[in-house]
Amino acid sequence: MRIGIIGSGQIGGTLTRRLRTLGHEVTVANSRGPQTLIPLTEETGATAGTVEQAVDGADLVVVAIPLLAVPSLPSPIFEGKVVVDANNYYPQRDGDVAELLDRSLSSSRWTADHLKGARVVKTFNNIRAQHLLERGRPAGDDDRIGLPVAGDDAEAKQMVMELVDALGFDPVDAGTLDGSWRQQPDTPVYGTDQNAEGVRKGLAEARP
């Protein structure tokens, strides 16, 4: 696939490395400009670009930036795109967002509201970058980690679940974007590297 990655931090950089290893064509962008991405592109063979270049022609776009930066993205270019939301809301970093603080709105629904028309799917937000890099395992392996995948668009969700599987993790259908708070920080599945069964149990046990 042609994949755009917005963000070159821990998760964005890790996904650039992993997806290039799988043979995908990756264009990565950040807020500081393509020239700052030369070390990553030289290492991985990915292409550095602007946000617009990363999104243009992409089959799938990963957004892995601080949540507070989402409203600054040029939302019209994301219309119709499958967008993987790998973000988390951290009040100490992102400031007070009332509907996110009381979980009356999931952070992915908030993101989808800003990226009107995008086919948003939530995943990669509950695993440490180092584990995403190193702990992928073949299907059927007893040590395979499960990753929750939430979204409203069945086709987009299936595409993302297949990508999660190819990266060496068991995709677990986590329901809709509105229910994706169950995989946010301070929930049973956040950062706990559980298998698929453990993820399903943790999602069911999550409380607002």
Side-chain angles (χ1 to χ4, degrees):
M1 288 193 296
R2 295 182 65 182
I3 297 177
I5 298 182
I6 313 302
S8 59
Q10 292 190 9
I11 294 295
T14 295
L15 284 171
T16 299
R17 294 177 177 92
R18 291 296 320 278
L19 293 169
R20 281 295 300 144
T21 298
L22 293 178
H24 295 289
E25 182 181 334
V26 175
T27 300
V28 59
N30 65 10
S31 61
R32 293 168 291 143
Q35 70 282 356
T36 66
L37 295 166
I38 291 173
L40 180 61
T41 57
E42 287 183 344
E43 174 194 344
T44 62
T47 300
T50 62
V51 169
E52 289 79 4
Q53 289 168 334
V55 175
D56 184 42
D59 302 302
L60 179 148
V61 180
V62 178
V63 175
I65 59 177
L67 182 130
L68 65 100
V70 167
S72 68
L73 292 173
S75 61
I77 68 173
F78 292 89
E79 186 169 358
K81 294 289 184 181
V82 176
V83 174
V84 175
D85 174 20
N87 296 342
N88 286 306
Y89 172 54
Y90 299 111
Q92 65 273 24
R93 179 196 65 188
D94 300 314
D96 291 346
V97 181
E99 61 267 40
L100 299 183
L101 277 173
D102 67 12
R103 288 190 178 169
S104 60
L105 199 66
S106 71
S107 66
S108 283
R109 176 61 66 197
W110 185 89
T111 294
D113 286 345
H114 284 285
L115 303 181
K116 293 291 187 185
R119 303 161 70 191
V120 177
V121 180
K122 178 80 159 188
T123 197
F124 300 129
N125 71 298
N126 75 311
I127 185 171
R128 296 177 185 176
Q130 196 70 21
H131 296 184
L132 183 59
L133 180 66
E134 298 176 347
R135 297 194 181 182
R137 298 288 186 271
D141 192 296
D142 290 341
D143 292 329
R144 213 176 199 220
I145 295 170
L147 293 183
V149 182
D152 299 335
D153 184 309
E155 184 181 24
K157 187 191 287 189
Q158 183 60 35
M159 178 192 291
V160 174
M161 291 179 82
E162 289 173 4
L163 188 63
V164 168
D165 181 54
L167 286 164
F169 302 91
D170 277 335
V172 175
D173 191 330
T176 66
L177 282 187
D178 287 329
S180 64
W181 60 268
R182 296 178 183 276
Q183 65 197 72
Q184 292 178 176
D186 301 320
T187 62
V189 302
Y190 182 76
T192 51
D193 288 345
Q194 300 178 66
N195 62 18
E197 182 180 351
V199 170
R200 292 186 190 97
K201 184 172 182 289
L203 292 170
E205 292 175 348
R207 295 293 178 267

